[in-house]
């Protein structure tokens, strides 16, 4: 499972002068990588919030495997959807606790396995306290790329069916972007992935690219077909 269908969705932020989303529609099938690109303010982040129902649509519907998200228990939605954003929040706690976040019962072996898949395990083992290292303490600061790989390990531990990547590599330099992209590739696997990007170069492999502007999809196609049409 993991089919996402966004149908004619409208959304209005309380007090805003106009609708942020004006009838946006798109779909993502299980295993597909679907990209949302478009200028700042187009509505990309807003739609990513409506899929896990952080807000409710003001018109239209969001469906997951055919069910309107308004009819799905919040805990099921949270379990189904994993998020990686531009800045991933880490807590002032151990690396273990940061990866276990939301799954406190997960075993240390599972945490280490997730860290291995996210290509961060070796780095963690360089710290004298390994997984017990307190994030941010005693000068053990993590680079932006390392923080993103920790966030990816956290998502892997949840094993969600649907993945939302909101400019997950935008804040990184080219070298760490490559490392994080490798970790993202292992995370995406057979999951339904919706990736928000401002650079087309990061999403050449997308099955479908939806160009968003003014709160709706203005064009869609593959990387190749969009470049051909200019
Ligand atoms: P994008 O992710 O494509 O840059 P957003 O989804 O962040 O676009 O924003 C879509 C529109 O909604 C913009 O006009 C933006 O100013 C507005 N907006 C975003 N967040 C809020 C908010 N919390 N309150 C009011 N308006 C908002
Ligand atoms: P500041 O660095 O000014 O203390 P931040 O907002 O950057 O404030 O960070 C708040 C806390 O988040 C830090 O005290 C630390 O625990 C953690 N933190 C922030 N950035 C990093 C980082 N790069 N690596 C590890 N921990 C960090």
């Amino acid at each position: 499972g993991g089919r996402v269908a966004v149908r004619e969705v409208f959304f209005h932020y309380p007090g805003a002068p106009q609708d942020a989303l004006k009838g946006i529609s798109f779909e993502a099938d299980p295993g597909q990588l679907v990209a949302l690109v478009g200028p700042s303010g187009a509505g990309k982040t807003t739609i990513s919030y409506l899929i896990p129902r952080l807000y409710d649509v003001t018109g239209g519907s969001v469906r997951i495997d055919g069910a309107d998200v308004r009819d799905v228990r919040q805990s099921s939605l949270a379990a189904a959807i994993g998020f990686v954003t531009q800045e991933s929040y880490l807590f002032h706690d151990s690396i273990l606790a940061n990866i276990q976040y939301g799954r406190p019962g997960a075993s240390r072996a599972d945490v280490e396995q997730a860290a291995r898949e996210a290509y961060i395990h070796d780095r963690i083992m360089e710290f004298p306290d390994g997984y017990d290292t307190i994030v941010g303490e005693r000068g053990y600061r993590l680079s932006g790329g390392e923080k993103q790989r920790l966030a990816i390990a956290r998502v892997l531990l949840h094993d969600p069916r649907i993945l939302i990547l909101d400019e997950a590599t935008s804040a990184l330099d080219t070298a760490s972007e490559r490392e994080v992209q490798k970790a993202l590739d292992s995370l995406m696997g057979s999951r339904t992935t919706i990736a928000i990007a401002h650079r087309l170069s990061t999403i050449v492999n997308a099955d479908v690219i939806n160009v968003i502007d003014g709160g709706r999809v203005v064009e869609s196609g593959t990387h190749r077909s969009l470049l051909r049409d200019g």
Side-chain angles (χ1 to χ4, degrees):
R3 182 168 196 279
V4 177
V6 171
R7 290 267 155 70
E8 287 290 313
V9 163
F10 285 77
F11 183 72
H12 192 102
Y13 284 101
Q18 58 168 339
D19 286 342
L21 298 176
K22 301 173 185 168
I24 187 171
S25 298
F26 67 90
E27 285 163 12
D29 283 331
Q32 269 193 330
L33 168 59
V34 171
L36 308 180
V37 300
S40 176
K44 306 182 295 295
T45 296
T46 301
I47 189 63
S48 80
Y49 290 162
L50 300 185
I51 297 169
R53 207 186 165 199
L54 300 183
Y55 301 119
D56 270 335
V57 301
T58 48
S61 68
V62 173
R63 288 172 184 278
I64 295 179
D65 293 327
D68 192 308
V69 292
R70 287 168 290 195
D71 299 329
V72 178
R73 294 219 324 271
Q74 195 65 48
S75 57
S76 311
L77 280 180
I81 302 170
F83 252 105
V84 182
T85 56
Q86 189 168 343
E87 283 269 3
S88 293
Y89 291 97
L90 300 181
F91 305 103
H92 188 71
D93 202 335
S94 68
I95 287 177
L96 184 79
N98 268 283
I99 299 178
Q100 273 177 333
Y101 176 72
R103 279 207 55 200
S107 73
R108 201 175 177 104
D110 287 344
V111 168
E112 291 187 16
Q113 180 55 32
R116 241 175 239 111
E117 286 175 51
Y119 301 99
I120 191 76
H121 176 76
D122 291 348
R123 176 72 182 113
I124 293 170
M125 295 316 284
E126 286 171 17
F127 293 129
D129 296 330
Y131 283 87
D132 297 317
T133 302
I134 304 296
V135 168
E137 208 163 68
R138 292 202 280 164
Y140 301 136
R141 294 186 76 82
L142 305 166
S143 70
E146 288 163 353
K147 286 162 80 174
Q148 286 305 70
R149 283 182 284 153
L150 262 195
I152 288 166
R154 175 190 290 170
V155 173
L156 279 163
L157 198 62
H158 279 267
D159 195 21
R161 312 202 295 282
I162 297 162
L163 201 59
I164 298 177
L165 312 176
D166 189 355
E167 304 206 13
T169 59
S170 299
L172 306 174
D173 57 57
T174 319
S176 44
E177 179 178 2
R178 226 171 280 129
E179 290 186 351
V180 173
Q181 192 59 53
K182 200 166 74 164
L184 285 175
D185 288 345
S186 80
L187 174 58
M188 279 152 58
S190 61
R191 299 182 165 91
T192 309
T193 305
I194 296 175
I196 296 173
H198 61 236
R199 276 171 300 176
L200 269 174
S201 61
T202 59
I203 44 155
V204 281
N205 299 327
D207 296 297
V208 183
I209 298 172
N210 293 300
V211 182
I212 316 283
D213 202 358
R216 54 174 85 85
V217 175
V218 293
E219 213 179 343
S220 81
T222 60
H223 192 256
R224 184 181 293 187
S225 74
L226 288 173
L227 284 182
R228 191 172 51 228
D229 298 342

